[in-house]
């Protein structure tokens, strides 16, 4: 490849990454209503570059939101990795998603609602949900299975139930703010109810798979 073409391609990649980084910050601060002008000012880019690299502000938002929720799930799994009991594991996992990572999860719930009006953006949401569910099978569900807990349904259904409960709590928290009213214990109880995890499982030690 000629040097000028390579340099142009590298510059394009750098611009796209700068826009993604700026959009992540701006959307986190202002939500879906953030403007292209705000994003471009942060990225030191031009509005037409958003259209060129992403198609539209909505498409950029969906890409940012999908990356954000996957990042939230990864942080939660990493935070819970040192837990020694099921109760501790689930509290850390859920507490991370509803606490430090709540904004990242909230962005994704907003993106899901956006896609209900923009079906052309549905594929990325669908693929992200699939990844979350697969990770859920490998993380929380496999952890519970190792304790001897008998699943009430297929493991993929249980993973979906976990994330559905998390999304529901996040939407309520975003809508009610200081009036949310749920403590961490309450939130954990909601997820446990969705999964029907019996009390006898909660204080069992986590046993590593062979």
């Amino acid at each position: 490849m000629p040097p000028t073409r390579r340099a142009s391609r590298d510059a394009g990649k750098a611009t796209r990454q700068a826009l993604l980084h700026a959009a992540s910050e701006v959307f986190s601060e202002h939500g879906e209503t953030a403007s292209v002008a705000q994003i471009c000012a942060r990225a030191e880019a031009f509005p037409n570059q958003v259209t060129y690299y992403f198609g539209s502000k909505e498409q950029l938002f969906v890409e940012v939101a999908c990356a954000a929720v996957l990042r939230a799930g990864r942080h939660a799994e990493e935070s819970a990795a040192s837990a020694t009991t099921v109760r501790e594991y689930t509290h850390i996992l859920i507490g991370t998603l509803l606490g430090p990572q709540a904004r990242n999860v909230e962005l994704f719930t907003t993106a899901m609602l956006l896609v209900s009006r923009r079906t052309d953006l549905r594929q990325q949401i669908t693929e992200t949900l699939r990844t979350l569910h697969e990770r859920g099978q490998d993380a929380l569900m496999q952890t519970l299975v190792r304790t001897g807990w008998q699943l009430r349904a297929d493991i993929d259904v249980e993973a979906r139930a976990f994330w559905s409960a998390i999304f529901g709590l996040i939407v309520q928290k975003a809508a009610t703010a200081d009036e949310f009213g749920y403590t961490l214990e309450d939130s954990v109880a909601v997820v446990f109810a969705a999964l029907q995890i019996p009390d006898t499982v909660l204080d069992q030690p986590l046993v590593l798979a062979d």
Side-chain angles (χ1 to χ4, degrees), residues 113-175:
L113 291 173
L114 170 64
V115 166
S116 70
R117 306 186 300 272
R118 286 287 306 272
T119 55
D120 56 306
L121 303 178
R122 182 172 292 166
Q123 182 176 355
Q124 191 162 5
I125 292 289
T126 301
E127 291 175 354
T128 300
L129 282 170
R130 184 180 301 115
T131 299
L132 285 176
H133 296 153
E134 289 173 351
R135 287 184 180 176
Q137 294 175 40
D138 293 336
L140 176 61
M141 294 301 112
Q142 292 288 7
T143 297
L144 292 172
V145 166
R146 290 202 297 270
T147 69
W149 179 49
Q150 296 297 311
L151 298 177
R152 60 176 179 158
D154 290 342
I155 194 169
D156 62 322
V157 174
E158 298 286 7
R160 289 170 185 268
F162 170 79
W163 276 106
S164 293
I166 293 294
F167 292 146
L169 288 166
I170 284 291
V171 169
Q172 291 180 59
K173 185 176 182 180

Side-chain angles (χ1 to χ4, degrees), residues 65 68-73 96-98 100-112 132 163 166-168 170-171:
V69 76
L70 292 176
R71 189 163 59 248
T96 302
L97 291 172
L98 298 182
Q101 294 298 317
R103 184 56 170 163
N104 283 333
V105 181
E106 182 188 338
L107 288 175
F108 186 71
T109 63
T110 303
M112 285 193 288
L132 285 176
W163 276 106
I166 293 294
F167 292 146
I170 284 291
V171 169

